[in-house]
C-alpha cells in the first residue's frame, strides 16, 4: 500500500466545533453547564415554544472574535444569522441558527509544527452557531431518549481550507486549536467530553492533479489520535477503490475506534437540502472599531508567541519552550518564577522537572501546585548564591516545602540544617586535614593523576557533613594542592 | 414555474408532510401560484439594493452573558407527547 500511496495526494479539510465557556446559552439565558442532570437547563426558547424569540449572547460573539484574532482572520463588521433547516429530534426549532452568508471571521490561518517544520494551515472561516441536544440510544430500548441541556450551547465552527496533506498535519492543527482555545479561555478543549469535536473531509487525487477527488466526511472521532487513524484508514480505502477502477462515493462515514475503520452511515435522508435563509428574528449585528479594540485589548499572549519569547528573550532551548507553553497554567507558573529570577534556564529546569512530575503524579494543574512560584525563585537564588546545593534543594527542601508550603525555602533549609558552608575559614581546616592525611594521594595528584581530586572532594564533603559548598571547596582544594 | 409531483414530494419529505392524491393536486396548484407571484417580484429592478433580512431597524440587540431563572425540570417536560421522569422520548432514530 505504501508504494500506492506515493501515487496519490491526500487532501484534508477539518471542521472543528468548540463549545464556548459562556455562563448562559447563545440565544437565551438558560445555563450552559456540562454535567447537569438531564433536561434541567431548559427554558421556553431552548425548547422552541411558540412565540419565543432569540437574543444573542454578547460574550459568545466576543469569544468567536478572539479566536478569529488569534487565527489572523478578517473580522466581519456586519453579521446576519441564517437558518439551517433540517428535522432531527434533538433540534427543537427544526432549524439551527448559524451563520452562512456572513461568518464572523473570514480567511486567516493557524500555524502548526510538524516534522518538516512550521507551516500555516489556511482557514476558510470561523462562524457562530448553536449546539443541538443529545440523543441517547440505549440497547434494548424502543425509544430514543433526548436531553436538551446542550441545545443552544454556543459553538464556534472553525473550517479549514482543504489545505492539509497528512494525518500528522491534521493532528498538529487540532492540538494547536486546542491549545489556543484553552489559552484564550473560550473552550475547555476536552475532546472526550465533546466540548471540542472534529469532522474531517478527506479525498485523494493523483499526484500533480489539479482537480480534487470526491470527498468523504468522517465523523465520530473523539480524540486527536482517532482523527489521525481515521484519515490514515480513509487514505488507503479510497486508493484501493480507485485502483480497482471504482469511484469514491461522496458520503458521511463514521469512525469505529475499535477496529480503526470508517463505515458509511445509513441515512434515511435523501440528499441534504438545508434551505439556508436569513433569520428574521435576530437583529443584524455590527462590530464597531471600539468594540473590536476592546476585545483586542483583552487578548492574552498565545502559546506560539510565548514559546518564541522563551527561545529569543530567555535563551531557552526550543524543547523547553514547547514543554513550558504546552498548557497555559504551566506557562503562567513559569512566567511568575521568571518575574523573580533572571536564571531562566534554572526556572525552566525546576518547572519541567520536579514541579511537572509532581503535577503529573497527582493529576493537578499548576494553579493547584502548593508551592508558590516565589519560593521556587527563592530556591534558585539560594542555589546560585551557593547557600544550598541543587541536589539537596530538589530532594530534601522541595519535599519539605510540599508539606509546608507556607514556609520560605530559606526557613526550610535552616530547619533541615543544609545551608552550605562557603566560608573559607571553616572550610580550610577541613581541606588541610584531608591533604595531611593522604600524602600518597597528593603525590599521585602531583604526578598528573588529576582525577584523584574527586576522592579529596568526597572526603571534604563527608567531613563537612555534606554542608561544604562544592564549588567553593573545589576551588580551595585545587589551589591548596598546587601549593603543597 | 410549475410545481410538479416530484418537486412536491421532495418538499413534502423535507417538511415531514404527507398528501393524498386530492390534496397533492391542490397543493401543486397553490404552490405554483405562489411561486408565479414571487417570480413577478423579480421584475422589479433591485440593482444596488442590499438584501432585506429583517423588518426591524434594530441593530445589535445583544444580551449580557447572565443565567436567568428558566423552566424547572417538570415544567420543561410538561408538553412532551412522550416522556419519562428524566428524558423526552422519541421514536428510535437509527443512523
Amino acid at each position: 500500500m505504501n508504494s500506492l500511496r506515493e501515487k496519490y495526494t491526500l487532501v484534508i479539510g477539518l471542521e472543528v466545533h468548540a463549545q464556548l465557556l459562556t455562563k448562559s446559552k447563545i440565544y437565551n439565558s438558560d445555563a450552559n453547564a456540562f454535567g447537569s442532570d438531564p433536561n434541567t437547563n431548559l427554558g421556553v426558547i431552548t425548547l422552541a415554544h411558540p412565540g419565543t424569540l432569540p437574543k444573542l449572547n454578547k460574550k459568545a460573539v466576543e469569544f468567536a472574535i478572539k479566536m478569529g484574532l488569534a487565527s489572523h482572520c478578517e473580522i466581519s463588521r456586519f453579521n446576519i444569522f441564517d437558518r439551517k433547516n433540517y428535522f432531527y429530534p434533538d433540534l427543537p426549532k427544526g432549524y439551527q441558527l448559524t451563520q452562512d452568508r456572513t461568518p464572523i471571521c473570514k480567511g486567516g490561518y493557524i500555524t502548526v509544527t510538524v516534522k518538516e517544520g512550521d507551516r500555516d494551515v489556511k482557514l476558510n472561516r470561523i462562524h457562530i452557531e448553536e449546539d443541538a441536544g443529545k440523543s441517547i440510544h440505549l440497547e434494548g430500548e424502543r425509544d430514543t431518549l433526548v436531553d436538551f441541556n446542550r441545545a443552544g450551547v454556543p459553538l464556534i465552527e472553525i473550517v479549514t481550507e482543504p489545505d492539509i496533506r497528512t494525518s500528522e498535519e491534521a493532528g498538529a492543527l487540532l492540538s494547536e486549536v486546542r491549545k489556543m482555545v484553552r489559552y484564550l479561555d473560550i473552550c475547555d478543549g476536552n475532546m472526550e467530553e465533546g466540548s471540542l469535536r472534529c469532522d474531517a473531509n478527506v479525498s485523494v487525487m493523483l499526484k500533480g492533479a489539479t482537480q480534487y477527488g470526491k470527498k468523504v466526511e468522517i465523523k465520530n472521532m473523539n480524540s486527536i489520535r482517532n482523527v489521525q487513524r481515521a484519515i490514515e484508514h480513509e487514505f488507503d480505502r479510497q486508493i484501493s477503490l480507485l485502483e480497482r477502477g471504482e469511484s469514491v462515493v461522496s458520503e458521511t462515514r463514521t469512525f469505529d475506534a475499535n477496529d480503526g475503520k470508517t463505515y458509511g452511515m445509513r441515512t434515511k435522508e435523501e440528499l441534504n437540502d438545508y434551505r439556508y435563509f436569513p433569520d428574521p428574528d435576530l437583529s443584524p449585528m455590527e462590530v464597531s472599531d471600539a468594540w473590536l479594540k476592546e476585545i483586542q485589548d483583552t487578548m492574552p499572549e498565545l502559546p506560539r508567541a510565548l514559546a518564541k519569547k522563551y527561545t529569543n528573550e530567555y535563551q531557552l532551548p526550543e524543547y523547553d519552550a514547547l514543554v513550558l507553553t504546552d498548557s497555559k497554567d504551566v506557562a503562567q507558573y513559569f512566567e511568575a518564577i521568571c518575574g523573580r529570577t533572571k536564571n531562566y534556564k534554572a526556572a525552566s529546569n525546576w518547572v519541567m522537572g520536579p514541579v511537572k512530575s509532581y503535577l503529573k503524579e497527582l493529576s493537578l494543574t499548576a494553579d493547584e501546585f502548593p508551592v508558590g512560584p516565589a519560593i521556587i525563585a527563592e530556591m534558585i537564588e539560594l542555589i546560585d548564591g551557593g547557600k544550598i546545593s541543587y541536589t539537596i534543594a530538589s530532594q530534601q527542601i522541595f519535599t519539605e516545602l510540599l508539606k509546608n508550603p507556607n514556609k520560605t525555602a530559606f526557613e526550610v533549609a535552616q530547619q533541615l540544617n543544609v545551608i552550605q558552608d562557603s566560608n573559607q575559614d571553616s572550610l580550610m581546616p577541613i581541606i588541610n586535614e584531608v591533604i595531611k592525611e593522604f600524602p600518597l594521594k597528593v603525590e599521585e595528584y602531583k604526578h598528573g593523576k588529576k582525577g584523584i581530586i574527586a576522592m579529596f572532594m568526597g572526603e571534604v564533603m563527608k567531613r563537612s557533613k555534606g554542608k561544604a559548598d562544592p564549588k567553593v571547596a573545589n576551588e580551595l582544594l585545587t589551589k591548596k594542592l598546587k601549593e603543597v | 414555474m410549475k410545481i410538479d409531483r416530484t418537486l412536491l414530494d421532495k418538499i413534502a419529505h423535507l417538511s415531514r408532510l404527507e398528501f393524498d392524491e386530492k390534496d397533492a393536486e391542490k397543493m401543486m396548484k397553490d404552490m405554483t401560484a405562489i411561486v408565479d407571484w414571487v417570480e413577478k417580484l423579480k421584475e422589479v429592478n433591485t440593482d444596488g439594493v442590499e438584501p432585506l433580512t429583517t423588518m426591524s431597524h434594530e441593530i445589535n440587540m445583544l444580551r449580557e452573558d447572565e443565567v436567568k431563572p428558566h423552566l424547572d425540570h417538570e415544567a420543561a417536560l410538561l408538553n412532551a407527547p412522550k416522556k419519562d421522569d428524566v428524558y423526552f422520548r422519541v421514536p428510535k432514530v437509527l443512523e
Side-chain angles (χ1 to χ4, degrees), chain A residues 220-223 226 229 254-263:
Chain A
N220 193 32
M221 303 161 289
N222 65 350
S223 70
N226 282 343
R229 287 172 67 201
T254 181
F255 175 71
D256 185 339
N258 292 319
D259 61 9
K261 293 181 178 168
T262 64
Y263 295 92

Side-chain angles (χ1 to χ4, degrees), chain B residues 62-73:
Chain B
L62 305 175
R63 27 174 290 273
E64 294 302 321
D65 181 27
E66 287 161 1
V67 177
K68 296 203 174 136
H70 34 74
L71 295 174
D72 64 36
H73 181 66

Side-chain angles (χ1 to χ4, degrees), chain A residues 411-463:
Chain A
E411 279 165 3
V412 171
Q414 272 183 321
Q415 178 199 318
L416 295 173
N417 196 20
V418 291
I419 293 181
Q420 285 178 353
D421 200 344
S422 53
N423 185 342
Q424 192 167 341
D425 294 340
S426 60
L427 289 179
M428 272 328 282
I430 302 177
I431 289 170
N432 289 333
E433 188 184 298
V434 171
I435 286 181
K436 215 162 122 193
E437 221 166 285
F438 297 98
L440 287 175
K441 301 279 179 200
V442 173
E443 279 309 306
E444 283 179 43
Y445 179 84
K446 285 185 159 307
H447 285 94
K449 208 172 164 192
K450 300 290 179 205
I452 211 150
I453 194 154
M455 174 283 215
F456 287 114
M457 272 302 292
E459 281 300 316
V460 172
M461 293 310 287
K462 202 159 84 193
R463 284 163 206 228

